[in-house]
Structures are given as C-alpha cells and as structure tokens.
Amino acid sequence: MKNTYLITLLVICSILVGCGPVYQTSYLFKPPTTENGRNCANRCLSKQQECYHQCQNITAQCESRKEVANLAEALVESWKKSSLSTDKPHNPSATRYRSHQTDCQKDEQKCMSRCDSIHRLCHENCGGVVIREVTCIRNCDKI
C-alpha cells in the first residue's frame, strides 16, 4: 500500500514538473568601442570557432570508440556462444567494453556550451558588452 502511494505521488510530481514554463536564454553582443577592442572581439570569434571544431573532433572520436566497443562486445558475446569458448583458459567479459558507452551528443552540447561561455567572457574582456536575455517560450501561463 505504501509503495502504491509513493509511486502515485512520484507520477503526479513528474507530471507537474513537466508542465512548468520553459525558458530560452539568448545573448546580445555589443561591440567594443575601440578598434583594438573590435579586433580583439574578432579574435574571440575565431577562438570560438576553433573551440567548436575541437568539440566536433572529440565527438567524432567518441562515436568511433563507441563503434569499436560495440564491435568488441559483439565479438565477445559471439565467442562465448561458440563451442570454442569452453576450450579457452581465458573467458573475457563484454561488460568491460560498455564503459565507452557515453552519450557523445550530450557531451558535444556541453563542450559547445563551454565554448560559448568562454566567448562571452572573452568579448567582455575586449571591452564589449554581453546582454543576457531570458524568454519564456512554452507554458508561459504557468508563471
């Protein structure tokens, strides 16, 4: 009885949380007033693009590691099912390959977000202004 009450409460809470307002954050960049500041801000943009490129490379490497891990896991499972596996002194475990099963796309989003944060700071350090705007984009009547 207690478990049913807890499960019902959890379901209701998750429904209420999912119905709350959704916000989007955007940034407005005002350029520095000096020529040196504008040149500096342009270098910030170049660095941001380099950072994005690194994130994409890291994601590609992550995806490759996942493919290799999946192949290794399939080979181990196939080997275990074969009649040869009983003759072998070593019995490998497929679970060791699962450590590479990360969410590469989520990691890429985090990486890109760091690039954006660094760019905003760089822009401000060059004398520019960054204005943060938070806008409700869904379920705004719940505020």
Side-chain angles (χ1 to χ4, degrees):
M1 185 67 171
K2 215 178 206 184
N3 286 343
T4 307
Y5 174 74
L6 286 174
I7 291 172
T8 305
L9 186 62
L10 284 173
V11 169
I12 291 171
C13 287
S14 64
I15 290 171
L16 290 175
V17 169
C19 295
V22 177
Y23 296 95
Q24 180 178 11
T25 303
S26 59
Y27 297 90
L28 174 66
F29 290 82
K30 293 192 175 185
T33 56
T34 67
E35 175 131 5
N36 282 341
R38 288 189 293 276
N39 289 336
C40 177
N42 285 333
R43 285 191 298 275
C44 293
L45 283 171
S46 295
K47 292 292 183 187
Q48 182 186 35
Q49 292 304 312
E50 289 174 23
C51 186
Y52 284 164
H53 186 68
Q54 287 176 340
C55 293
Q56 291 165 347
N57 286 341
I58 290 168
T59 301
Q61 291 171 1
C62 178
E63 294 291 348
S64 294
R65 282 192 303 274
K66 279 177 68 170
E67 287 178 29
V68 169
N70 288 337
L71 178 60
E73 188 174 340
L75 287 172
V76 167
E77 291 302 321
S78 174
W79 180 83
K80 282 181 172 183
K81 290 176 183 173
S82 75
S83 59
L84 299 174
S85 65
T86 56
D87 301 335
K88 303 286 183 189
H90 177 64
N91 190 6
S93 170
T95 57
R96 74 184 225 187
Y97 300 107
R98 290 190 192 116
S99 64
H100 293 286
Q101 300 298 322
T102 61
D103 187 346
C104 299
Q105 298 304 317
K106 189 182 247 184
D107 290 346
E108 181 179 33
Q109 289 172 348
K110 288 179 188 175
C111 184
M112 298 281 205
S113 180
R114 282 192 299 272
C115 296
D116 292 339
S117 294
I118 292 168
H119 172 250
R120 289 190 298 272
L121 181 61
C122 182
H123 186 82
E124 289 175 334
N125 287 339
C126 291
V129 176
V130 178
I131 300 169
R132 180 177 185 244
E133 296 177 341
V134 179
T135 308
C136 182
I137 59 170
R138 194 173 4 182
N139 299 328
C140 300
D141 57 334
K142 307 286 184 189
I143 300 175

